[in-house]
Amino acid sequence: MKEQLEEIRRKAIALLDECADIGLLDDLRVKYLGKKGELTAILKQMGKLTAEERPAMGQLANKVRADIEEKIAEKSAQINEALEEARIAAETIDVTLPGKKQPVGRLHPLTKVLDEVKDVFLGMGFDIVDGPEVEYDYYNFTALNLPPDHPARDMQDTFYINDNILLRTQTSSVQVHVMENKKPPIRIISPGRVYRSDAMDATHSPLFHQIEGLVVDKGVTMADLSGTLDMLMKRLYGEKCEIRLRPHHFPFTEPSAEVDILCFNCGGKGCSMCKGEGWVELLGAGMVHPWVLENCGIDPEVYSGFAFGLGLERIVMGRYGINDLRMFYDNDVRFLGQF
Ligand code: PHE
């Protein structure tokens, strides 16, 4: 019996040493220490031993059991530790790996500056309105004192859908829509695309953007126009910015003016940007012509108004020192990423 016990211990310890799996470890525990296990089977034979043999054999059997139990505990700890290490290794994040870069878009410079312009006008109580880009001749020309065959039509050639419908050449068409639909007081700006049949070069594009402004109320004067534009330009270009109004002619405003700002590059001394002038032309403006008011059902004896039309591209070019308008439309991210 002694040999049997020793043999069980030898085998059990050898098998346990090899064991690297928690399920297998449990199988071995059952195989040796379980109720129907090998050790139990031997112990059941204790009855056959003599009274003298029994204590020593009992002691040995207990020792064997204890040794096997100890080995099982040791192995179980080892296996669990290895499992834990494997789990940690599997879950480890290598914080030194370079991240996956998410390409993030940004606002187009035209959109960015337009948003600023909108903010300035919203702050002054203006509404922002939208108008159609495909327009009737009447709104784009006739209602603005440019009847068919008027020579000034030649300055704004565009793309015709048919004799009566065209792509608008100016946002001034929105003035007419607004005045037809709303009675004074009117304070709006209307930004949007306009189209002209111009060849593309550094300062021309068949598609560009304007921001129309219109204010109609009792007692509106040229001073209101000047003050409004002065405020806008100071907000866009800084407090030092100055504007000047130069007499001009538009069929739908009287008097009319072209508005220049003190060159942002040289401050008025004259440079290549302002072509030595010291001033840069930015927009057209004037007092809404009485006939235009009348065309829209507003009594010019009671109301007066001013209007202006800003070229958005020109403002943005001045703002960032961009010298070629085509860059706005090239979709080159190296350019667009700078704003
Ligand atoms: N629509 C004119 C242009 O495109 C600008 C303008 C707008 C002038 C409003 C006077 C009043 O040139």
Side-chain angles (χ1 to χ4, degrees):
M1 187 177 268
K2 185 169 183 260
E3 284 79 52
Q4 273 179 309
L5 283 169
E6 305 259 324
E7 176 65 9
I8 286 174
R9 170 158 63 187
R10 203 186 52 73
K11 267 197 170 158
I13 301 282
L15 282 171
L16 285 167
D17 262 336
E18 299 275 276
C19 177
D21 179 275
I22 206 83
L24 210 65
L25 191 70
D26 201 51
D27 291 347
L28 289 173
R29 188 183 56 76
V30 173
K31 175 171 158 72
Y32 288 104
L33 308 179
K35 271 190 193 144
K36 292 176 186 161
E38 293 186 20
L39 196 60
T40 319
I42 303 271
L43 292 177
K44 278 183 186 151
Q45 296 167 31
M46 289 286 250
K48 293 180 193 160
L49 296 176
T50 63
E52 298 88 69
E53 284 171 323
R54 226 172 277 158
M57 225 28 87
Q59 230 173 27
L60 180 61
N62 283 338
K63 182 78 174 67
V64 169
R65 167 177 283 276
D67 286 351
I68 294 176
E69 275 173 350
E70 194 186 320
K71 191 75 196 172
I72 289 174
E74 182 190 311
K75 262 293 168 184
S76 153
Q78 258 179 34
I79 292 171
N80 280 326
E81 196 179 318
L83 281 175
E84 180 73 2
E85 265 169 30
R87 191 178 66 77
I88 289 170
E91 285 177 6
T92 301
I93 297 164
D94 183 353
V95 292
T96 66
L97 276 176
K100 284 188 194 131
K101 203 166 182 180
Q102 296 291 341
V104 179
R106 61 178 74 206
L107 293 179
H108 193 281
L110 292 175
T111 308
K112 234 181 108 164
V113 175
L114 176 57
D115 283 350
E116 283 180 42
V117 173
K118 284 181 182 170
D119 268 353
V120 174
F121 282 105
L122 286 171
M124 291 193 277
F126 282 59
D127 286 329
I128 296 167
V129 302
D130 224 2
E133 289 173 31
V134 182
E135 189 55 282
Y136 289 110
D137 177 285
Y138 176 78
Y139 289 94
N140 194 81
F141 289 130
T142 305
L144 294 167
N145 282 344
L146 283 145
D149 305 322
H150 191 291
R153 279 193 179 209
D154 289 349
M155 313 225 310
Q156 296 185 6
D157 194 15
T158 185
F159 306 96
Y160 283 85
I161 311 296
N162 61 35
D163 280 351
N164 198 26
I165 298 174
L166 46 82
L167 296 184
R168 69 179 178 189
T169 61
Q170 49 186 352
T171 45
S172 297
S173 53
V174 186
Q175 288 185 31
V176 182
H177 287 289
V178 170
M179 288 191 281
E180 277 182 353
N181 291 315
K182 191 176 183 300
K183 293 305 129 197
I186 292 170
R187 263 196 302 274
I188 61 103
I189 59 164
S190 182
R193 297 187 189 99
V194 298
Y195 302 83
R196 291 190 195 175
S197 176
D198 282 334
M200 190 107 191
D201 65 22
T203 52
H204 293 86
S205 160
L207 179 162
F208 60 104
H209 298 76
Q210 286 189 334
I211 305 167
E212 194 77 8
L214 175 70
V215 171
V216 183
D217 204 348
K218 287 178 180 153
V220 175
T221 71
M222 200 94 179
D224 299 310
L225 168 65
S226 170
T228 305
L229 293 174
D230 187 58
M231 163 86 134
L232 171 69
M233 293 310 164
K234 283 192 162 59
R235 292 285 295 275
L236 287 180
Y237 292 107
E239 280 304 312
K240 287 210 188 90
C241 178
E242 276 177 46
I243 63 165
R244 88 175 171 189
L245 274 63
R246 235 175 338 102
H248 195 72
H249 173 260
F250 296 102
F252 40 92
T253 47
E254 182 58 38
S256 302
E258 271 193 330
V259 182
D260 303 336
I261 66 166
L262 203 61
C263 178
F264 20 75
N265 196 36
C266 64
K269 290 189 203 80
C271 67
S272 63
M273 195 147 197
C274 57
K275 300 191 181 87
E277 290 278 319
W279 295 87
V280 179
E281 183 208 318
L282 268 194
L283 63 129
M287 300 307 291
V288 181
H289 197 290
W291 290 358
V292 176
L293 292 173
E294 228 162 36
N295 285 341
C296 303
I298 293 174
D299 184 351
E301 297 296 327
V302 180
Y303 294 103
S304 59
F306 69 75
F308 58 86
L310 280 161
L312 179 59
E313 278 80 353
R314 216 178 258 190
I315 294 184
V316 181
M317 287 167 85
R319 177 69 177 270
Y320 295 118
I322 298 163
N323 54 18
D324 193 329
L325 174 140
R326 286 169 287 199
M327 288 198 261
F328 289 131
Y329 314 115
D330 279 347
N331 290 336
D332 185 336
V333 288
R334 291 169 305 178
F335 168 73
L336 298 173
Q338 296 176 44
F339 305 98

